[in-house]
Amino acid sequence: MKKTVRDVDVRDKRVFLRCDFNVPLDDSGVITDDRRIVSALPTIKYLMEQGARTIVASHLGRPKGVADMKYSLAPVANRLSELLGTEVIFVSEPEVVGPAVKDAAEALEPGSVMLIENVRFRPEETKNDPSFSSELASLADIFVNDAFGTAHRAHCSTAGVADFLPAVSGFLLEKEIRFFSGLLEDPEKPFTAVLGGSKVADKIPLIENLLDKVDTILIGGGMAYTLLKAKGYEIGTSLLDEDSIQLSIDIMKKAEEKNVKMLLPVDTVCAKEFKNDSPSVCVDVDKIPADMMGLDIGEKTQKLYRKVIMESATVVWNGPAGVFEMDNFAAGTKAIAQAMNDTKAVTVIGGGDSAAAVRKFGLEEGISHISTGGGASLEFLEGKKLPGVECLQDK
Ligand code: AMP
């Protein structure tokens, strides 16, 4: 168990708080989705109430180590001020930690909050260079990491500063760790994983790690066709990852040996072109026409997968069941989202596309946990250690 912000005395202390404010902006720099800022509010409010002097940092986009003002955190500072209903002092310096930031941090009153510039303005940040970590650390007495979305990166502001300061988690990171460790350590059975997305190769480490924990794996998305091909089906022009056919054969064999049911689609919605308006047909997987590609799971598969999800006690979902960005091929993903919403099971969604899909369909209400970190949650489920978590003090 890692220490959290509750386990340290933050009163009057300077706290370096790493958040993930990597929010989407439109062409005129307006934030189009502030969920990542909203998710950080419980920790920030707690620090304010406790009388800490909070210095918040984040990255935004990929400025590639230069102070490109297109990626300035100025819009985030405004939105954060609005959400908190109080002024957030924003000190923008191209070197991120310059004289103005040092002075402002020094002068910060208990209970107040300041935000510094995009940490990726500095080339050292993504290299986890100790010199920049120590500059960041020099601003504070305690490091609180609440940026789950970047916890799989060993960067100065996500892990390096912990070499210089006592490090604990914020509430968001704590919640993410609780749900994901719960899945890996002590899931209620039956435990089902729903996997989709485009490439099998990307999901092999995940499947390998889950084979010792889950009872059933439901496969959808583009990756299903390589697995179907490995089983001897003709898949027409569907997405095929030739190089992963042997891997697919091996992983299905391993699943069998471990008594894990690995279900593949039994029917699929096919079209001639990768286009929303390409006329489609739904066929069983042994009847995929040679000139068509599978773009979604069919109705029989949806029903089958729904039944498994409804009968599970724990379900984790990573990757869409079809090309959900196109309305005509979104039904399979919607059916999974609906089942996730309807089941009594503990349901966890691993961020990224599946989280976007659940939101697109307005079905997030019934989900136990939707992760804020696509990449980080995937690495956690693969059994990898996350640098942004590992660097925190143990209880
Ligand atoms: P990934 O980036 O590997 O998580 O895959 C997500 C992408 O897979 C989404 O953009 C989906 O549109 C895409 N996808 C899902 N099903 C299919 C399919 N049957 N054929 C091609 N792409 C798919």
Side-chain angles (χ1 to χ4, degrees), residues 63-67 94-96 118-129 131-132 135 154-156:
K64 304 209 170 100
V66 291
E95 69 271 48
V96 186
N118 189 338
V119 282
R120 290 198 191 163
F121 280 3
R122 289 284 293 266
E124 301 97 321
E125 163 68 5
T126 53
K127 297 185 187 122
N128 198 12
D129 183 326
S131 62
F132 184 46
E135 279 180 55
H155 293 171
C156 295

Side-chain angles (χ1 to χ4, degrees), residues 197-199 202-203 221-222 225 239 274 294-295 320-325 353:
S198 51
K199 289 188 77 184
D202 290 353
K203 301 288 156 88
Y225 302 92
L239 205 59
F274 192 81
L295 294 173
V323 186
F324 76 104
E325 299 93 334
D353 281 328

Side-chain angles (χ1 to χ4, degrees), residues 9-327:
D9 181 10
V10 294
R11 185 161 302 279
D12 290 338
K13 300 269 172 49
R14 286 190 177 75
V15 172
F16 178 76
L17 173 66
R18 176 57 156 101
C19 293
D20 179 4
F21 289 156
N22 186 26
V23 289
L25 302 171
D26 68 14
D27 291 342
S28 48
V30 174
I31 297 170
T32 54
D33 180 350
D34 66 0
R35 220 176 329 245
R36 285 193 162 143
I37 306 176
V38 172
S39 315
L41 293 178
T43 303
I44 300 175
K45 284 184 178 161
Y46 175 83
L47 289 169
M48 290 169 74
E49 282 158 18
Q50 294 291 311
R53 308 158 198 250
T54 308
I55 299 135
V56 190
S58 175
H59 76 287
L60 175 66
R62 294 177 182 216
K64 304 209 170 100
V66 291
D68 180 346
M69 285 303 153
K70 194 168 84 189
Y71 299 104
S72 168
L73 284 177
V76 171
N78 291 334
R79 188 73 194 114
L80 184 58
S81 296
E82 280 168 21
L83 289 166
L84 289 171
T86 182
E87 188 205 0
V88 170
I89 304 158
F90 178 53
V91 189
S92 174
E93 287 181 305
E95 69 271 48
V96 186
V97 183
V101 162
K102 286 180 193 158
D103 288 351
E106 196 59 41
L108 209 55
E109 294 289 332
S112 52
V113 179
M114 68 178 271
L115 178 68
I116 61 172
E117 233 347 325
N118 189 338
V119 282
R120 290 198 191 163
F121 280 3
R122 289 284 293 266
E124 301 97 321
E125 163 68 5
T126 53
K127 297 185 187 122
N128 198 12
D129 183 326
S131 62
F132 184 46
S133 301
S134 90
E135 279 180 55
L136 292 169
S138 73
L139 299 173
D141 309 301
I142 298 169
F143 169 42
V144 176
N145 191 8
D146 215 17
F148 183 71
T150 33
H152 57 316
R153 307 277 182 227
H155 293 171
C156 295
S157 67
T158 60
V161 292
D163 291 338
F164 300 91
L165 293 176
V168 299
S169 77
F171 298 129
L172 176 64
L173 193 75
E174 181 195 23
K175 186 172 165 218
E176 297 270 12
I177 299 172
R178 178 156 43 84
F179 271 100
F180 285 105
S181 337
L183 289 180
L184 296 182
E185 284 158 21
D186 191 21
E188 241 193 273
K189 302 274 205 157
F191 180 12
T192 300
V194 188
L195 305 182
S198 51
K199 289 188 77 184
V200 190
D202 290 353
K203 301 288 156 88
I204 295 284
L206 174 63
I207 299 175
E208 292 257 5
N209 197 42
L210 290 178
L211 281 183
D212 289 322
K213 336 249 178 226
V214 299
D215 303 287
T216 308
I217 300 179
L218 306 176
I219 302 281
M223 66 187 275
Y225 302 92
T226 302
L227 289 158
L228 285 167
K229 180 81 181 174
K231 282 192 116 179
Y233 288 93
E234 289 309 325
I235 58 166
T237 58
S238 307
L239 205 59
L240 173 64
D241 184 0
E242 285 274 2
D243 297 341
S244 300
I245 292 182
Q246 191 55 46
L247 273 177
S248 302
I249 293 170
D250 296 345
I251 203 82
M252 287 191 284
K253 192 158 162 252
K254 259 193 203 165
E256 209 178 310
E257 284 163 10
K258 297 198 180 224
N259 259 330
V260 173
K261 287 188 243 56
M262 199 157 154
L263 304 189
L264 299 184
V266 293
D267 60 347
T268 175
V269 181
C270 299
K272 284 199 173 145
E273 288 178 276
F274 192 81
K275 273 192 195 154
N276 186 45
D277 55 4
S278 185
S280 64
V281 284
C282 185
V283 295
D284 287 352
V285 287
D286 58 354
K287 296 192 182 61
I288 301 177
D291 60 348
M292 287 191 152
M293 62 183 86
L295 294 173
D296 196 10
I297 55 172
E299 270 184 37
K300 285 186 210 167
T301 311
Q302 290 170 31
K303 280 205 186 109
L304 183 72
Y305 286 8
R306 180 181 170 88
K307 186 164 184 287
V308 175
I309 293 170
M310 294 307 286
E311 289 168 358
S312 300
T314 310
V315 191
V316 61
W317 179 23
N318 182 294
V323 186
F324 76 104
E325 299 93 334
M326 299 183 194
D327 286 347

